[in-house]
Amino acid sequence: MTLEMQTTLINFSVNTSLDELEMVRTTISEQLVKFPLTEIEINQIVLSVDEICANLVLHAEKKKLADSIEISLIKEENGIRVNILDHCISYNPITNKENNIDSLIKERKKGGIGLILVNRIMDNIEYRIEETYNICSLFKRMKFEVA
């Protein structure tokens, strides 16, 4: 993907607080409605972003780590990418691929179901660790009309 094929739609930061998650959902939704997406597709992307951010907030609050999360929504030639950047201790949600929701429910295991849904909803999830921060990149494939 060349840089010419990418358009950053919005960049914003929120505090690592559960109170901020509503603003994250609203901001992402407001941008996504500008595209030819179904309500279900918009809700899937918003749910995925919310799940990753909620996990970051919960881990950051417990350990009194990062004070903010940075979110970028990027239109690419063949889809939408959301990059979520944090300065917390590294936690790779991709390695936590529990494929059996039924066993989590049966065992009444707390947590894990949200990440399973994110892995199923999004077409590609990448996680990388840079020098002082982590980036979780969520990608949803879609077709855009050529102008």
Side-chain angles (χ1 to χ4, degrees):
M1 171 67 49
T2 62
L3 290 177
E4 293 83 33
M5 303 288 204
Q6 295 181 341
T7 304
T8 299
L9 303 171
I10 190 167
N11 262 326
F12 63 101
S13 288
V14 294
N15 293 327
T16 51
S17 164
L18 291 175
D19 296 335
E20 298 283 319
L21 295 180
E22 183 176 348
M23 195 271 283
V24 170
R25 292 187 297 271
T26 301
T27 303
I28 296 295
S29 293
E30 287 172 351
Q31 293 298 314
L32 293 175
V33 296
K34 299 175 184 177
F35 295 96
L37 300 169
T38 66
E39 187 175 338
I40 290 172
E41 290 170 321
I42 291 170
N43 289 336
Q44 287 177 331
I45 295 169
V46 170
L47 172 72
S48 297
V49 172
D50 185 60
E51 180 62 30
I52 297 298
C53 289
N55 282 338
L56 288 173
V57 167
L58 292 172
H59 291 290
E61 283 182 343
K62 283 181 192 174
K63 301 193 183 327
K64 299 193 184 335
L65 294 171
D67 57 357
S68 68
I69 300 169
E70 298 169 40
I71 301 167
S72 299
L73 183 64
I74 302 161
K75 177 185 177 249
E76 296 185 359
E77 180 180 16
N78 59 348
I80 295 285
R81 180 172 307 280
V82 182
N83 289 331
I84 303 166
L85 184 146
D86 70 86
H87 299 278
C88 295
I89 291 175
S90 299
Y91 171 73
N92 185 344
I94 298 169
T95 59
N96 190 22
K97 283 189 180 178
E98 169 72 48
N99 292 322
N100 192 343
I101 290 178
D102 293 335
S103 69
L104 286 175
I105 293 169
K106 188 181 274 186
E107 295 171 23
R108 296 182 181 193
K109 207 171 184 183
K110 187 176 179 180
I113 293 175
L115 292 174
I116 293 170
L117 291 174
V118 172
N119 280 298
R120 290 185 181 179
I121 289 170
M122 300 307 286
D123 293 310
N124 187 28
I125 301 171
E126 298 173 356
Y127 183 85
R128 67 185 185 275
I129 302 166
E130 299 293 335
E131 289 180 22
T132 61
Y133 55 90
N134 311 297
I135 299 175
C136 183
S137 185
L138 308 174
F139 181 77
K140 184 75 168 170
R141 216 175 285 105
M142 61 190 56
K143 293 181 181 178
F144 297 108
E145 292 182 24
V146 179

